[in-house]
């Protein structure tokens, strides 16, 4: 079947959906505040799937349900609940020992696992992520939580001793920061919300979290687990329009940590709204335009397969996606030919179909945006070089390879975050290196080649421009024990299983002059277990 025909027939009729992937609408009317699941009686927002269904009257977006459109009043109530639970650091949660906090989290993860099928199905339908990738997102998140609990215990073990130096006895530990506002992105709505939320809670902070614009309902099955696993006020949920409800929270000055994965533009607005920005700790995952650089001696088959997954996994909607490819002119014909063939072999379809790679996009405005940046490239001399590249049906966009992309084009500098692959030929290695140096972004880069001297020289240049240089492999965040961060407009703070515990806490210490009286006092506090902080208990 021709690609155009496949795209034309991409959407199924309701009866074609396999039984296990069918979904009943979820009209969510509840939210979690102050340890209670409250019923919402105000306005709601309808949730439509990126998947359309074929009916007698043509295509219609699948209705998935609705969620509360909370107002400033409820947002402030949620914040107050977190502030009350933290209670200036005197609350039950921030003063609870590490072992007890870990036990609460173990309870949560146990309850979360029971909801796997429901969450995975909602992930597929709400954001169009394939079944395989949705399952991966869920399992990776569970693994991340389990590893984070382990890392927390390790951190506590490492600080379970006193040290004596220059006549001072001390115990150094990490303490919470206060109230964290956590907001993840739509492309990893579960994983990238929980990879900030979980470490924030584990370190003793209390949180308010708002799901992203797309990928809201999939958090509903976890509401009871959040309510039952933690003391009241530790986790509070917010639903609604970010523009209306987040600004008022920031303006109160009561948010101590902003954990946000999204655009640098929005992050800047939020930071400026805080009345005392120096009191705000920011943990930000922002824009990126990672380049792939294919050198003349690269293994072209490998470079093509890594570039393909790098550029098109989840339709290119990953912050770590390869968003521009620089190909040495001597190998461009072979590379492009093989890339185009590999795209033609990718399976298009609905998220539940086995081995599907290209699926519909959740953001409605992404469809005209991708058409606009492609048209801009054509205006400046590029071409779409693959059959049916950029073809649209509803929210489905067939991947486009745009070549040759140059400086004048929007695709050169804008993060397309979708299935468009800009390809640029180069003669001199300085061209892609200058691109990376001049870029506003500084997350990662991929270099494909075999020459030891050339690769080594590139590594030494690139490590001071980005935060991960990938050799003969695509850019990616994982494994999650590795630091994930970026320079310039790409990030603030570092995330990884252990780094996240650090960014959501601050080092604080107990110190006393080495006198007999102080030694006696410290010994008595330890022996009688009077303090949770000053303690040499070792978690086994
Ligand atoms: O969207 C950005 C994600 O952090 C990327 O994670 O590289 O594991 O897909 P990933």
């Amino acid at each position: 079947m021709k690609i155009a025909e496949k795209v034309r027939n991409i959407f199924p009729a309701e009866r074609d959906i396999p039984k296990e992937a069918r979904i009943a609408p979820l009209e969510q009317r509840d939210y979690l505040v102050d340890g209670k699941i409250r019923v919402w009686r105000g306005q709601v927002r309808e949730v439509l799937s990126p998947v359309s269904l074929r009916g007698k009257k043509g295509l219609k977006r699948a209705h998935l349900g609705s969620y509360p459109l909370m107002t400033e009043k409820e947002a402030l109530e949620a914040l107050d609940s977190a502030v009350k639970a933290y209670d200036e650091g005197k609350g039950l949660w921030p003063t609870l020992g590490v072992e007890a906090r870990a036990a609460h989290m173990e309870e949560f993860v146990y309850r979360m696992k029971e909801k796997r099928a429901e969450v995975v199905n909602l992930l597929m339908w709400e954001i169009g992520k394939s079944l395989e990738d949705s399952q991966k997102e869920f399992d990776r998140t569970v693994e991340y939580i389990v590893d984070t609990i382990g890392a927390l215990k390790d951190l506590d073990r490492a600080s379970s001793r006193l040290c004596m130096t220059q006549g001072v006895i001390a115990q150094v530990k990490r303490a919470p920061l206060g109230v964290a506002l956590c907001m993840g992105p739509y492309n990893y709505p579960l994983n990238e919300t929980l990879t900030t939320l979980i470490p924030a809670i584990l370190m003793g902070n209390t949180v308010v979290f708002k799901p992203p614009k797309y990928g809201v309902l999939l958090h509903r099955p976890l509401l009871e687990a959040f309510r039952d696993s933690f003391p009241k006020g530790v986790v509070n949920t917010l639903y609604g329009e970010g523009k209306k409800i987040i600004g008022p929270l920031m303006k109160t000055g009561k948010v101590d940590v902003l954990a946000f994965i999204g655009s640098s533009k929005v992050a800047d607005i939020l930071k400026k709204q805080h009345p005392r920005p120096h009191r705000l700790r920011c943990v930000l995952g922002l824009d990126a335009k990672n380049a792939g650089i294919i050198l003349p001696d690269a293994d072209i088959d490998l470079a093509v397969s890594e570039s393909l997954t790098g550029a098109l996994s989840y339709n290119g909607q990953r912050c770590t996606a390869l968003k521009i490819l620089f190909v040495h002119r001597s190998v461009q014909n072979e590379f492009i030919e093989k890339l185009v063939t590999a795209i033609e072999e990718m399976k298009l379809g609905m998220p539940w179909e086995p081995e599907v790679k290209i699926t519909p996009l959740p953001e409605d405005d992404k469809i005209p945006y991708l058409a606009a940046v492609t048209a801009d490239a054509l205006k400046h001399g590029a071409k779409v070089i693959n059959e049916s590249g950029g073809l649209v049906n509803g929210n489905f966009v067939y991947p486009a390879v745009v070549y040759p992309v140059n400086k004048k084009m929007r695709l050169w500098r804008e993060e397309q975050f979708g299935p468009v692959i800009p390809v640029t030929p180069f003669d001199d290695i300085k061209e892609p290196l200058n691109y990376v140096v001049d870029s506003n972004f500084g997350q990662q880069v991929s270099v494909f080649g075999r020459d030891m001297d050339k690769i080594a020289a590139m590594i030494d240049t690139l490590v001071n421009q980005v935060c991960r240089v990938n050799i003969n492999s695509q850019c990616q965040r994982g494994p999650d024990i590795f630091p994930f961060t970026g320079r310039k407009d790409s990030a603030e703070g570092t995330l990884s299983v252990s780094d996240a515990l650090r960014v959501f806490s601050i080092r604080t210490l107990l110190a006393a002059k080495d006198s007999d009286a102080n030694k006696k006092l410290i010994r008595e506090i330890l022996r009688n277990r009077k303090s949770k902080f000053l303690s040499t208990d070792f978690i086994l």
Side-chain angles (χ1 to χ4, degrees):
M1 205 193 292
K2 297 277 285 177
I3 294 165
E5 201 181 335
K6 280 193 203 162
V7 173
R8 207 168 30 250
N9 296 314
I10 199 82
F11 292 113
E14 197 151 5
R15 60 174 182 280
D16 301 330
I17 304 168
K19 214 163 75 208
E20 57 289 359
R22 290 195 183 158
I23 194 156
L26 199 174
E27 310 299 345
Q28 179 176 348
R29 294 291 175 273
D30 24 34
Y31 61 103
L32 176 64
V33 170
D34 204 22
K36 289 195 185 64
I37 293 183
R38 295 190 188 165
V39 178
W40 174 250
R41 298 189 201 284
Q43 281 191 325
V44 295
R45 158 134 329 138
E46 182 183 22
V47 180
L48 294 177
S49 175
V51 170
S52 291
L53 297 175
R54 213 164 357 100
K56 283 193 189 116
K57 291 187 190 148
L59 290 178
K60 194 166 174 234
R61 304 271 294 276
H63 167 83
L64 298 180
S66 53
Y67 62 82
L69 265 188
M70 290 162 69
T71 68
E72 183 176 331
K73 176 174 167 283
E74 294 79 34
L76 291 172
E77 278 169 15
L79 179 64
D80 281 344
S81 156
V83 169
K84 200 166 74 183
Y86 191 69
D87 190 17
E88 311 282 2
K90 304 185 299 292
L92 170 64
W93 188 247
T95 56
L96 205 60
V98 162
E99 213 166 359
R101 286 207 299 265
H104 281 275
M105 194 56 83
E106 276 155 5
E107 162 72 14
F108 172 75
V109 82
Y110 178 81
R111 297 272 304 266
M112 176 178 169
K113 283 197 254 178
E114 295 174 339
K115 301 290 180 184
R116 183 178 187 267
E118 231 176 304
V119 174
V120 165
N121 210 25
L122 280 161
L123 255 171
M124 279 199 309
W125 280 96
E126 276 193 272
I127 64 158
K129 190 172 269 192
S130 71
L131 173 62
E132 196 189 337
D133 284 349
S134 298
Q135 287 169 333
K136 260 196 227 156
E137 179 166 348
F138 189 93
D139 298 339
R140 174 182 179 180
T141 308
V142 166
E143 199 180 316
Y144 189 97
I145 301 175
V146 172
D147 290 349
T148 307
I149 297 171
L152 175 72
K153 290 181 180 171
D154 274 347
L155 199 61
D156 194 71
R157 286 180 194 119
S159 55
S160 71
R161 55 187 284 273
L162 305 189
C163 53
M164 288 175 86
T165 185
Q166 295 180 24
V168 179
I169 312 169
Q171 186 170 34
V172 185
K173 285 195 171 176
R174 298 201 76 94
L177 295 163
V179 172
L181 172 61
C182 298
M183 292 180 287
Y186 83 80
N187 62 333
Y188 278 95
L190 179 76
N191 182 264
E192 292 207 321
T193 303
L194 266 56
T195 50
T196 59
L197 183 95
I198 297 299
I201 300 173
L202 271 174
M203 287 314 298
N205 304 283
T206 59
V207 303
V208 174
F209 89 87
K210 188 187 97 55
K213 189 166 173 194
Y214 308 97
V216 179
L217 298 173
L218 62 95
H219 294 274
R220 173 61 191 91
L222 304 178
L223 222 50
E224 284 80 6
F226 277 123
R227 179 195 60 192
D228 301 341
S229 309
F230 303 104
K232 69 174 185 175
V234 172
V235 182
N236 305 277
T237 62
L238 264 188
Y239 304 93
E241 265 180 66
K243 269 192 196 148
K244 291 195 181 144
I245 56 179
I246 300 303
L249 298 191
M250 296 305 293
K251 285 181 191 154
T252 62
K254 294 178 186 171
V255 173
D256 302 299
V257 192
L258 171 66
F260 173 70
I261 320 280
S263 72
S264 57
K265 199 170 136 208
V266 172
D268 286 346
I269 295 172
L270 296 177
K271 283 174 80 163
K272 282 187 196 134
Q273 286 169 333
H274 197 288
R276 285 171 290 190
H278 57 276
R279 286 202 187 183
L280 182 70
R281 169 80 57 96
C282 290
V283 185
L284 309 173
L286 305 171
D287 326 305
K289 179 98 179 169
N290 296 341
I293 304 173
I294 292 95
L295 299 173
D297 64 341
D299 173 340
I300 298 298
D301 290 325
L302 175 73
V304 165
S305 95
E306 290 292 316
S307 299
L308 190 76
T309 44
L312 289 182
S313 293
Y314 184 43
N315 312 303
Q317 301 166 113
R318 290 162 62 231
C319 60
T320 47
L322 284 174
K323 297 192 180 107
I324 186 160
L325 300 177
F326 286 87
V327 187
H328 193 268
R329 212 177 286 278
S330 63
V331 288
Q332 64 166 342
N333 290 348
E334 184 187 354
F335 180 87
I336 288 173
E337 198 180 304
K338 287 183 169 169
L339 181 72
V340 167
T341 309
I343 292 174
E344 283 164 7
E345 283 163 6
M346 289 179 103
K347 184 167 170 184
L348 330 174
M350 294 300 104
W352 52 82
E353 291 176 34
E355 284 162 35
V356 69
K357 298 286 183 241
I358 306 295
T359 54
L361 314 178
E363 289 177 291
D364 295 344
D365 45 6
K366 184 54 65 70
I367 290 89
Y369 170 78
L370 294 175
V373 288
T374 306
D376 168 77
L378 302 192
K379 194 173 83 192
H380 289 100
K383 285 197 171 65
V384 172
I385 54 167
N386 60 320
E387 182 192 331
S388 299
L391 191 65
V392 172
N393 180 7
N395 276 33
F396 185 90
V397 180
Y398 187 72
V401 180
V402 182
Y403 168 91
V405 165
N406 64 40
K407 276 193 176 93
K408 291 188 213 131
M409 302 172 187
R410 292 173 65 187
L411 275 175
W412 178 265
R413 52 185 190 275
E414 289 182 26
E415 180 182 19
Q416 67 272 31
F417 216 81
V420 174
I421 311 180
V423 180
T424 300
F426 71 91
D427 298 297
D428 186 331
I429 190 58
K430 282 193 195 126
E431 297 167 45
L433 288 181
N434 287 344
Y435 175 86
V436 177
V437 173
D438 295 343
S439 169
N440 284 332
F441 313 105
Q443 193 196 58
Q444 301 189 18
V445 67
S446 290
V447 180
F448 297 89
R450 291 190 254 224
D451 183 307
M452 177 183 76
D453 293 323
K454 284 201 186 102
I455 297 272
M458 287 185 76
I459 293 173
D460 291 350
T461 306
L462 290 168
V463 285
N464 292 343
Q465 297 300 326
V466 297
C467 286
R468 176 163 163 165
V469 177
N470 301 277
I471 301 298
N472 293 318
S473 41
Q474 62 153 317
C475 298
Q476 61 182 44
R477 174 177 176 157
D480 287 326
I481 55 157
F482 288 159
F484 178 54
T485 185
R487 299 167 186 266
K488 304 186 210 171
D489 295 352
S490 286
E492 191 174 327
T494 301
L495 291 172
S496 78
V497 167
S498 54
D499 285 302
L501 293 172
R502 288 177 171 80
V503 292
F504 286 102
S505 60
I506 189 160
R507 294 218 296 172
T508 180
L509 61 148
L510 172 281
K513 284 220 171 114
D514 181 4
S515 67
D516 288 344
N518 281 343
K519 276 189 199 158
K520 183 167 174 279
L521 182 67
I522 290 173
R523 211 175 283 125
E524 278 171 0
I525 293 174
L526 289 173
R527 193 171 296 141
N528 295 297
R529 292 209 160 85
K530 287 285 180 189
S531 166
K532 298 228 176 64
F533 186 92
L534 177 58
S535 157
T536 49
D537 284 355
F538 190 87
I539 302 175
L540 289 172

